[in-house]
Amino acid sequence: MAENSVLTSTTGRTSLADSSIFDSKVTEISKENLLIESTSYVEEEMPQIETRVILVQEAGKQEELIKALKDIKVGFVKMESVEEFEGLDSPEFENVFVVMDFQDSVFNDLYKADCRVIGPPIVLNCSQKGEPLPFSCRPLYCTSMMNLVLCFTGFRKKEELVRLVTLVHHMGGVIRKDFNSKVTHLVANCTQGEKFRVAVSLGTPIMKPEWIYKAWERRNEQDFCAAVDDFRNEFKVPPFQDCILSFLGFSDEEKTNMEEMTEMQGGKYLPLGDERCTHLVVEENIVKDLPFEPSKKLYVVKQEWFWGSIQMDARAGETMYLYEKANTPELKKSVSMLSLNTPNSNRKRRRLKETLAQLSRETDVSPFPPRKRPSAEHSLSIGSLLDISNTPESSINYGDTPKSCTKSSKNSTPVPSKQSARWQVAKELYQTESNYVNILATIIQLFQVPLEEEGQCGGRILAPEEIKTIFGSIPDIFDVHTKIKDDLEDLIVNWDESKSIGDIFLKYSKDLVKTYPPFVNFFEMSKETIIKCEKQKPRFHAFLKINQAKPECGRQSLVELLIRPVQRLPSVALLLNDLKKHTADENPDKSTLEKAIGSLKEVMMHINEDKRKTEAQKQIFDVVYEVDGCPANLLSSHRSLIQRVETISLGEHPCDRGEQVTLFLFNDCLEIARKRHKVIGTFRSPHGQTRPPASLKHVHLMPLSQIKKVLDIRETEDCHNAFGLLVRPPTEQANVLLSFQMTSDELPKENWLKMLCRHVANTICKADAENLIYTADPESFEVNTKDMDSTLSRASRAIKKTSKKVTRAFSFSKTPKRALRRAFMTSHGSVEGRSPSSNDKHVMSRLSSTSSLAGIPSPSLVSLPSFFERRSHTLSRSTTHLI
């Protein structure tokens, strides 16, 4: 009975639980239905609230605002005073007030009444983007600081802080009392405090208060953002703000440079020992003791603090860079513990001698460094001691453990009792190759990788284009030589006189051809980029100072390290030649080494040829940049610049007499350019690089095939250093004479004319280049150089230019000279029996009206027909026996 009663009660509780679950589900369903019905009822019964804009006072007079509100389809009314607000207030509308001035009394009244207030830029911005008006619980004038989170530090005046916070809110920014990772900018009034240190460590931009004030001044500018780098960088707190520095242990030149950098970075400097100094920067490698006892307020720091602050673009923490004197108690204690004046000093001396002896034996026997402990990664390897060249040994871990450190039999490699000369050269080849790979790894890991890293403190030090220009194909060269080093290492470990070293270089000859030319050809550009960036970018200068001082660089600059690939292949060729000399004739590697040397010579010839072509292409680009209006078809892969000659025009072609003309001789054409009268602005490339303005103006690009004769005009009292070109343009029926006077004595006229004739002959496929030169008297071609540089001649040219400007100023159509010539030719042609067309009549009537309007006959117009008749007659008479 008891068991049945228990069972019944259990069953009853179970059924009760099930029914309660069912009832709860029913209740939830009924609640959902009730909620849906109530929602639909609210939508049907509750009236819709419409947004209405109220233009306050001056805002109602702005037509641009009214048009913008119509574009976003928002109703608006105008209000002249706050008293009118009671009549405009209605529960049917959500009122948004547009106020022109957020410092007006009307704005203060609306703000106290807890009204929603916005500025005109908000309306214009929404109209431009097609967006609805934003909702903000605070007055919002513009969106210059939208999505910015600011934190303040160092402000002691509450009024100033309240003013700054209010402006930030008016521009859409957010304020945080405590500094955290979400803060985008720290506004600092001093360079001390916990917030400042955390911002420096996180790389958060630290701004001056003027940044907010200047952003507020530009509040009415559309699309302005206070976080744009160009604007923001003007107001960043410089690294040495509030710092007064002095320097100890530096050379006069370096000290002057550091003082200039201090002022550039917002700091000041004073002589050594001045009590007002806040920091003493010490050259720790030279200074062993301070000349005075520093005060507690003075930071004595290493020079790495100075350059690190500039690189980070923020004042670095001093505690990490404090200078420690050589006689500190801690150092004395460590020295006493390691001192040899102990009871066991004799035993320690013997142990040291044995270690040095063992080290010298390993140096003589094995080309490999001994196994390194993890704690000894900064010690020098034996490979660097064996290399006679001054090469740095890298101390960076570059990935996988070298094979030489993983082979157990490395140090126990059997070595011939009497090492051959071939073994010695092979060992030197491996040692230099290993050092070279370490240098490349130092360049990549110490310089290239940090510069390419994202999220650098203070932003990017260099642009990606500048990094690519500096380092080029260094990573590819590193990969190839790493493989060569590994193969040489395997060969040396398992040494045998019959092993082939030449096969290794033949195996990678194609890779060398691919990787070396791009770097060697642009090495000078890489060097120039480093020098330019170091002068123009203080952070890059500081970056080089920090890294070049590290032991991995061996006291060498980045430029000195980058020149190693240029020198490597010739040194390898010399070592292979030496190896061939010490290889027996019956050794199969003898012929292989000859092939390897030949392949290296081909690689170097390929590099030289590519370098020559690259330099030629660069010269053509320089001409294009220097000559304004230079034709684009001048750029061609088969074209190269031969010579540049500075001249003065002696005739009316191709420029007026006395014009300074520059001739660019290419292998198939001649570019004629004159000096510009007005220099245009500086050219800026897409990457921000600037070029000097074009100093020349394009006149004519002449194929060399149009040159029929080269005239060597004899020297007389009235004619010096003159020559002429008899050309036949395709648009002319007669020959045209171009006469010039060479103004530079660097290139003799005879050499220039021979050079010109040789390339003309190559262009027209003639072998007799000398027959193109014709010696003539200046009188027969009416050429003279008399009074070219006199004051009267310069005044005459100036009057001539002024006359042309006046003539063209009175011309309604600004007809070019060629069109005028063509018009006069047409008018003369009509005399021979052809009636002038309507276009001819129009041109002639236009010219006659121009002359009558000018008041006098234009000499440039009247003299053209007679000039052509006289010039054609003279040329036909003088050149009958030339052609």
Side-chain angles (χ1 to χ4, degrees), residues 56 97 108 143 161 213 220 228 239 252 259 296 342 424 433 582 602 644 704 733 753 763 834 840 849 875:
V56 181
F97 296 86
N108 293 330
T143 57
L161 182 59
Y213 292 125
N220 291 315
V228 176
D252 293 340
E259 290 174 348
K296 295 181 179 180
T342 61
Q424 295 289 347
E433 187 69 18
H582 295 89
E602 290 179 2
R644 171 180 178 154
L704 294 183
Q733 297 181 355
L753 296 181
T763 303
R834 184 180 62 83
D840 299 335
S849 65
L875 290 178

Short mmCIF file of all heavy atoms in Angstrom, two decimals, residues 56 97 108 143 161 213 220 228 239 252 259 296 342 424 433 582 602 644 704 733 753 763 834 840 849 875:
data_model
loop_
_atom_site.label_atom_id
_atom_site.label_comp_id
_atom_site.label_asym_id
_atom_site.label_seq_id
_atom_site.Cartn_x
_atom_site.Cartn_y
_atom_site.Cartn_z
N VAL A 56 16.17 79.20 -38.13
CA VAL A 56 16.18 80.28 -37.15
C VAL A 56 16.93 81.48 -37.71
O VAL A 56 18.09 81.36 -38.13
CB VAL A 56 16.81 79.81 -35.83
CG1 VAL A 56 16.78 80.94 -34.80
CG2 VAL A 56 16.08 78.59 -35.29
N PHE A 97 15.97 72.43 -35.11
CA PHE A 97 16.32 73.82 -35.31
C PHE A 97 17.67 73.93 -36.01
O PHE A 97 18.65 73.28 -35.59
CB PHE A 97 16.35 74.56 -33.97
CG PHE A 97 15.01 74.62 -33.28
CD1 PHE A 97 14.58 73.58 -32.46
CD2 PHE A 97 14.19 75.70 -33.46
CE1 PHE A 97 13.38 73.62 -31.82
CE2 PHE A 97 12.95 75.76 -32.82
CZ PHE A 97 12.54 74.71 -32.01
N ASN A 108 21.65 79.54 -27.14
CA ASN A 108 21.66 79.23 -25.71
C ASN A 108 20.26 78.97 -25.18
O ASN A 108 20.04 78.06 -24.37
CB ASN A 108 22.31 80.38 -24.95
CG ASN A 108 23.79 80.53 -25.28
OD1 ASN A 108 24.45 79.55 -25.60
ND2 ASN A 108 24.30 81.75 -25.22
N THR A 143 30.15 67.52 -38.95
CA THR A 143 30.64 66.15 -38.72
C THR A 143 32.15 66.06 -38.91
O THR A 143 32.68 65.03 -39.31
CB THR A 143 29.94 65.18 -39.68
OG1 THR A 143 30.17 65.60 -41.04
CG2 THR A 143 28.46 65.13 -39.41
N LEU A 161 39.11 73.37 -20.59
CA LEU A 161 38.72 71.99 -20.88
C LEU A 161 37.25 71.90 -21.28
O LEU A 161 36.91 71.17 -22.22
CB LEU A 161 39.00 71.12 -19.65
CG LEU A 161 38.71 69.63 -19.80
CD1 LEU A 161 39.53 69.02 -20.93
CD2 LEU A 161 38.98 68.89 -18.49
N TYR A 213 40.70 73.83 -32.07
CA TYR A 213 40.32 75.19 -32.43
C TYR A 213 40.38 75.41 -33.94
O TYR A 213 39.48 76.03 -34.53
CB TYR A 213 41.23 76.20 -31.71
CG TYR A 213 41.03 76.25 -30.21
CD1 TYR A 213 42.11 76.07 -29.34
CD2 TYR A 213 39.78 76.47 -29.67
CE1 TYR A 213 41.93 76.11 -27.97
CE2 TYR A 213 39.59 76.52 -28.28
CZ TYR A 213 40.67 76.33 -27.45
OH TYR A 213 40.48 76.37 -26.08
N ASN A 220 32.63 75.12 -41.49
CA ASN A 220 31.68 75.33 -42.59
C ASN A 220 32.15 74.72 -43.91
O ASN A 220 31.45 74.83 -44.93
CB ASN A 220 31.42 76.83 -42.79
CG ASN A 220 30.63 77.44 -41.65
OD1 ASN A 220 29.65 76.86 -41.19
ND2 ASN A 220 31.08 78.59 -41.15
N VAL A 228 42.26 63.93 -41.14
CA VAL A 228 43.07 63.78 -42.34
C VAL A 228 44.53 64.05 -41.99
O VAL A 228 44.84 64.99 -41.24
CB VAL A 228 42.58 64.74 -43.44
CG1 VAL A 228 43.48 64.68 -44.66
CG2 VAL A 228 41.15 64.40 -43.83
N PRO A 239 58.01 65.44 -30.59
CA PRO A 239 58.63 64.55 -29.59
C PRO A 239 59.31 65.28 -28.45
O PRO A 239 59.29 64.81 -27.32
CB PRO A 239 59.64 63.75 -30.43
CG PRO A 239 59.13 63.81 -31.82
CD PRO A 239 58.46 65.14 -31.95
N ASP A 252 81.62 67.57 -33.26
CA ASP A 252 81.01 68.88 -33.52
C ASP A 252 79.96 68.80 -34.63
O ASP A 252 78.88 69.40 -34.52
CB ASP A 252 82.09 69.89 -33.90
CG ASP A 252 83.04 70.19 -32.74
OD1 ASP A 252 82.64 69.92 -31.59
OD2 ASP A 252 84.16 70.66 -32.99
N GLU A 259 71.38 69.15 -32.65
CA GLU A 259 70.77 70.40 -32.17
C GLU A 259 69.74 70.92 -33.16
O GLU A 259 68.67 71.40 -32.75
CB GLU A 259 71.87 71.44 -31.92
CG GLU A 259 72.74 71.13 -30.72
CD GLU A 259 73.90 72.10 -30.57
OE1 GLU A 259 74.15 72.87 -31.53
OE2 GLU A 259 74.56 72.08 -29.52
N LYS A 296 68.60 65.32 -9.63
CA LYS A 296 67.56 64.31 -9.68
C LYS A 296 66.53 64.57 -10.78
O LYS A 296 65.91 63.64 -11.27
CB LYS A 296 66.87 64.21 -8.32
CG LYS A 296 67.78 63.72 -7.20
CD LYS A 296 67.03 63.62 -5.89
CE LYS A 296 67.93 63.10 -4.77
NZ LYS A 296 67.21 63.00 -3.48
N THR A 342 91.37 35.51 -7.92
CA THR A 342 90.69 34.63 -6.98
C THR A 342 91.61 33.47 -6.66
O THR A 342 92.64 33.25 -7.32
CB THR A 342 89.39 34.11 -7.60
OG1 THR A 342 89.71 33.36 -8.78
CG2 THR A 342 88.45 35.25 -7.96
N GLN A 424 91.74 25.24 -49.87
CA GLN A 424 91.80 26.56 -49.25
C GLN A 424 90.95 27.57 -50.01
O GLN A 424 90.22 28.37 -49.41
CB GLN A 424 93.26 27.04 -49.19
CG GLN A 424 94.17 26.23 -48.29
CD GLN A 424 93.87 26.44 -46.82
OE1 GLN A 424 93.15 27.37 -46.46
NE2 GLN A 424 94.40 25.56 -45.97
N GLU A 433 80.81 33.58 -49.22
CA GLU A 433 79.40 33.43 -49.60
C GLU A 433 78.51 33.44 -48.36
O GLU A 433 77.42 34.04 -48.36
CB GLU A 433 79.21 32.12 -50.37
CG GLU A 433 77.81 31.93 -50.95
CD GLU A 433 77.51 32.88 -52.08
OE1 GLU A 433 78.46 33.47 -52.65
OE2 GLU A 433 76.31 33.05 -52.40
N HIS A 582 94.23 26.26 -59.37
CA HIS A 582 94.69 25.21 -58.45
C HIS A 582 93.95 23.90 -58.67
O HIS A 582 93.93 23.04 -57.79
CB HIS A 582 94.50 25.67 -57.00
CG HIS A 582 95.35 26.85 -56.64
ND1 HIS A 582 94.92 28.15 -56.80
CD2 HIS A 582 96.61 26.93 -56.13
CE1 HIS A 582 95.86 28.98 -56.41
NE2 HIS A 582 96.91 28.26 -55.99
N GLU A 602 78.95 36.28 -68.76
CA GLU A 602 77.74 36.59 -69.52
C GLU A 602 76.72 37.33 -68.66
O GLU A 602 76.05 38.25 -69.13
CB GLU A 602 77.15 35.29 -70.08
CG GLU A 602 77.96 34.65 -71.19
CD GLU A 602 77.33 33.36 -71.68
OE1 GLU A 602 76.23 33.01 -71.17
OE2 GLU A 602 77.93 32.71 -72.55
N ARG A 644 73.87 66.29 -76.67
CA ARG A 644 73.10 67.52 -76.47
C ARG A 644 74.01 68.70 -76.79
O ARG A 644 75.14 68.77 -76.30
CB ARG A 644 72.60 67.59 -75.03
CG ARG A 644 71.98 68.93 -74.65
CD ARG A 644 71.52 68.92 -73.22
NE ARG A 644 70.96 70.21 -72.83
CZ ARG A 644 70.07 70.38 -71.88
NH1 ARG A 644 69.63 69.33 -71.20
NH2 ARG A 644 69.61 71.58 -71.58
N LEU A 704 66.14 62.14 -88.86
CA LEU A 704 67.45 62.41 -89.47
C LEU A 704 67.42 62.19 -90.98
O LEU A 704 68.28 62.73 -91.71
CB LEU A 704 68.52 61.53 -88.83
CG LEU A 704 68.82 61.79 -87.36
CD1 LEU A 704 69.95 60.88 -86.89
CD2 LEU A 704 69.18 63.25 -87.12
N GLN A 733 58.14 72.11 -100.60
CA GLN A 733 58.60 71.68 -101.92
C GLN A 733 60.05 72.04 -102.16
O GLN A 733 60.65 71.54 -103.10
CB GLN A 733 57.72 72.35 -103.00
CG GLN A 733 56.25 71.92 -102.93
CD GLN A 733 55.42 72.56 -104.02
OE1 GLN A 733 55.93 73.39 -104.79
NE2 GLN A 733 54.17 72.17 -104.11
N LEU A 753 79.85 67.71 -85.92
CA LEU A 753 79.35 67.52 -87.28
C LEU A 753 79.62 66.10 -87.77
O LEU A 753 78.78 65.50 -88.45
CB LEU A 753 80.00 68.54 -88.22
CG LEU A 753 79.67 70.02 -87.93
CD1 LEU A 753 80.35 70.93 -88.94
CD2 LEU A 753 78.17 70.24 -87.94
N THR A 763 70.97 56.22 -90.58
CA THR A 763 69.51 56.26 -90.73
C THR A 763 69.09 56.02 -92.18
O THR A 763 68.13 55.31 -92.45
CB THR A 763 68.96 57.61 -90.23
OG1 THR A 763 69.37 57.80 -88.88
CG2 THR A 763 67.44 57.64 -90.30
N ARG A 834 43.76 80.74 -110.26
CA ARG A 834 42.73 80.10 -109.47
C ARG A 834 42.01 81.15 -108.68
O ARG A 834 42.62 81.97 -108.01
CB ARG A 834 43.38 79.07 -108.51
CG ARG A 834 42.35 78.29 -107.71
CD ARG A 834 43.04 77.29 -106.79
NE ARG A 834 43.89 77.96 -105.82
CZ ARG A 834 43.44 78.47 -104.67
NH1 ARG A 834 42.14 78.41 -104.39
NH2 ARG A 834 44.27 79.04 -103.82
N ASP A 840 39.29 81.31 -98.46
CA ASP A 840 40.39 82.24 -98.73
C ASP A 840 39.94 83.67 -98.55
O ASP A 840 40.65 84.51 -97.98
CB ASP A 840 40.93 82.03 -100.15
CG ASP A 840 41.48 80.62 -100.33
OD1 ASP A 840 41.87 80.03 -99.30
OD2 ASP A 840 41.50 80.12 -101.46
N SER A 849 41.41 93.17 -91.97
CA SER A 849 40.81 93.86 -90.83
C SER A 849 41.79 93.95 -89.68
O SER A 849 41.81 94.94 -88.95
CB SER A 849 39.54 93.13 -90.39
OG SER A 849 39.86 91.85 -89.92
N LEU A 875 68.42 79.71 -101.88
CA LEU A 875 68.70 78.28 -101.67
C LEU A 875 68.81 77.55 -102.99
O LEU A 875 69.67 76.68 -103.15
CB LEU A 875 67.61 77.67 -100.80
CG LEU A 875 67.62 78.10 -99.33
CD1 LEU A 875 66.46 77.44 -98.61
CD2 LEU A 875 68.93 77.75 -98.68
#
